[in-house]
Amino acid sequence: MSGPEAGGRLDTDALLDDPRTRIVVCCGAGGVGKTTTAAALGLRAAERGRRTVVITVDPARRLAQSMGLESLDNTPHPVPLSEGARGSLHAMMLDMKRTFDEVVEEYADPGRAEQILANPFYQALSTSFSGTQEYMAMEKLGQLHRSGDWDLIVVDTPPSRSALDFLDAPKRLGRFLDGKLIRFLSAQGNGAFRLLGAGFGLVASVIGKVVGAQLLNDVRAFVASFDAVFGGFRKRAEQTYRLLQESGTAFVVVATPERDALREASYFMERLSGDAMPLAGLVVNRTHPLPEGPAARLGAQEALAAAASLEAAGTHPAAAAALRLHAERVALRGREIALRDRLLAEHRGVPTVEVAALAEDVHDLADLRAVGDALADTPDHP
Amino acid sequence: MRLHIVTGKGGTGKTTVAAALALALAAGGGRVLLVEVEGRQGVASLLGLPPLSAEERPVASAPGGGRVLALAADAEAALLEYLEMFYGIRRAGQALTRLGAVDFATSIAPGLRDVLLTGKATEAVGRREGGRRRGEGPFHYDAVVMDAPPTGRIGRFLNVTSEVAGLARVGPVRGHADKVTEALRSERTLVHFVSLLEEMPAQETRDGVAEIAALGLNPGAVVVNMARPPLLPEADLSSAAEGRLDREELAAGLEAAGLEDPAGLAASLAGEVDAHARRVLMERRIRSELEELGRPLLDLPLVADGVDLAALEGLARHLADQGVRR
């Protein structure tokens, strides 16, 4: 058995050290360790000299704590690093409503902005439109990028139904706000109706029945005031989308060596390539490499036979257990490699790095640093 | 208990547990509906079937003549169905679709989308034989199992009334939401949590149970998924966890088993043994924290070679052995 085919190893340090790398986006299925990976990459980049900010979306409390932060809000907070760190690390958690409000305030005059922010329909849109979180993550990324305050921005993508939602969200929100329905709902009773032809009265009455007249009024008021803002809004979404395609952006796909997570990773890599987004590599997280030394050459069958002979003799229970444990590990490792290699066979040339499973969860910067070490320098285990 | 909502942190195996639960509940001649709401087609890929549609269709049989049917709830289909059911206006509904009402109903107001999806499950729970919505006669399904969104979103997903209330203070949608909420809060509905014996999933489970209870919903069981038995003798666990396992004794055992280079092998294996011991102790601590929730704990073993129908049937038997039945 050998290391990853083709592609070779992801050179994490070269990626993080390269001054041309300005954005790293971590993506993958839920529960694979995206947020931890993003934080570990950010810490490593900071300690290697870059002014780094990590944007997370709803991190586990423990992860915020591991960076020495009790809470995270919509602005970057400095993470205290050990002495000798050459760069700096900030971390922030996305507040989608605050971010949306800021966009409105930036593009609308004060009176109009106030109207929009007070509109119940806007409030629903800014807190719960199913693409808002993804869209605002991208908006925040654009803001931080334009500020010029950061050498490197590391983004943890939202735990969406699909890991791809954040690529589509800006378009979807744009399509919605610019769409036929919203024009229809906000029409003052002329042009739009003619376009719809027969049956519009019925449709209007159905919408009124289902959602209620009050909501329709809110939508109309919202569209009337939002129209002025919308052009800038959409332009910005397009800019951010293009920013993701630039060569200074690096997508890092994270997966655990399990069927579903790898399938999602595969789908994601296809999509990135379809959208001309730069893929830096694949992190296979929480793997179970074999130990160093002679145990690496002890096969599962041989270990099980040896354990059985000890058990038959009724002696050395700890050694028998160690041998059974090793046999399990060998079998698990075999499955992991098979799954990984199947993925890499479909995606030749994708640089890969493995991060071995930790015995316990990440609790502090030292643990995050250990993850970063693994991301940067995984020995090619058998 | 008729509606079983299965949630858990991403990666804990919610879909697997939901499918195994459906099979366990169908054992002995039951008819169970498995509802997927996230559009991921996890059930179909688990069972090796083509993608599910919004129409119920048989996906598996259980011992004793039991049947599991499944559907992928779809907000657009549910909206059209809802319009037809309450207003008899399917055509207008289709016009709505052409206008982009899909975006409207499913994106602009996720509260509305959620109420349509959960409403699909509560409708199936209340359905009587012959398709009647109310009245006499046996229920069409013995149980409905929902493969629900992950713990991070479950509170918002199930708290449909307040989500919709922000948008629609009155009107039929509000009325529908109120009815769905009543069904979700009734004692016929339980929210089960899938956890692993790891810190973050267990933390999310504890937070989720508290959130669900605060919403007036009923937390059900905590399913400890992918449980692995400890291999090390009890006496050696704590010393190994502290890195004090007797390496000479380990080497002696390896030598007695006839293996080459016992000392080198012992040194090489010791790390695995220590890490295993630390993990076992951590898992015990996490299990006792989960026990403190006061919910029944159900164990499901790790399925090593990927989950398929045969593996699901095995998991269903594990659930049955622990008392899960209709």
Side-chain angles (χ1 to χ4, degrees), chain A residues 9-10 12-13 44 353-354 371-380:
Chain A
R9 186 183 303 162
L10 172 63
T12 307
D13 282 343
R44 189 166 186 91
V353 68
E354 287 197 22
V371 175
D373 288 343
L375 280 163
D377 181 35
T378 303
D380 221 343

Side-chain angles (χ1 to χ4, degrees), chain B residues 152-177:
Chain B
R153 295 202 306 273
I154 191 68
R156 173 174 274 188
F157 180 73
L158 294 177
N159 192 18
V160 286
T161 302
S162 82
E163 284 292 311
V164 169
L167 277 174
R169 270 164 239 145
V170 291
V173 163
R174 179 59 193 269
H176 185 56

Side-chain angles (χ1 to χ4, degrees), chain A residues 128 181 209-210 292 295 316 361, chain B residues 104 110 172-173 199 249 268 272:
Chain A
S128 50
L181 182 71
K209 262 187 194 158
V210 173
E292 310 265 343
H316 305 292
D361 279 339
Chain B
F104 186 77
V173 163
E199 290 182 21
E249 160 56 24
S268 175
E272 273 181 275

Side-chain angles (χ1 to χ4, degrees), chain B residues 36-82:
Chain B
E36 177 170 288
V37 295
E38 292 257 273
R40 300 173 64 105
Q41 292 295 344
V43 172
S45 88
L46 206 54
L47 295 170
L49 296 171
L52 298 175
S53 71
E55 303 287 328
E56 289 146 52
R57 74 153 197 256
V59 292
S61 48
R67 285 202 294 156
V68 176
L69 293 87
L71 67 84
D74 172 79
E76 182 188 339
L79 178 62
L80 295 181
E81 203 171 280
Y82 166 82

Side-chain angles (χ1 to χ4, degrees), chain A residues 12-34:
Chain A
T12 307
D13 282 343
L15 178 71
L16 297 178
D17 290 348
D18 187 341
R20 286 167 301 181
T21 308
R22 303 296 309 282
I23 295 170
V24 171
V25 184
C26 294
C27 42
V32 297
K34 270 193 305 273

Side-chain angles (χ1 to χ4, degrees), chain B residues 228-245:
Chain B
R228 287 165 293 189
L231 288 170
L232 213 58
E234 196 62 30
D236 296 317
L237 270 175
S238 52
S239 58
E242 291 164 15
R244 291 187 290 102
L245 184 75

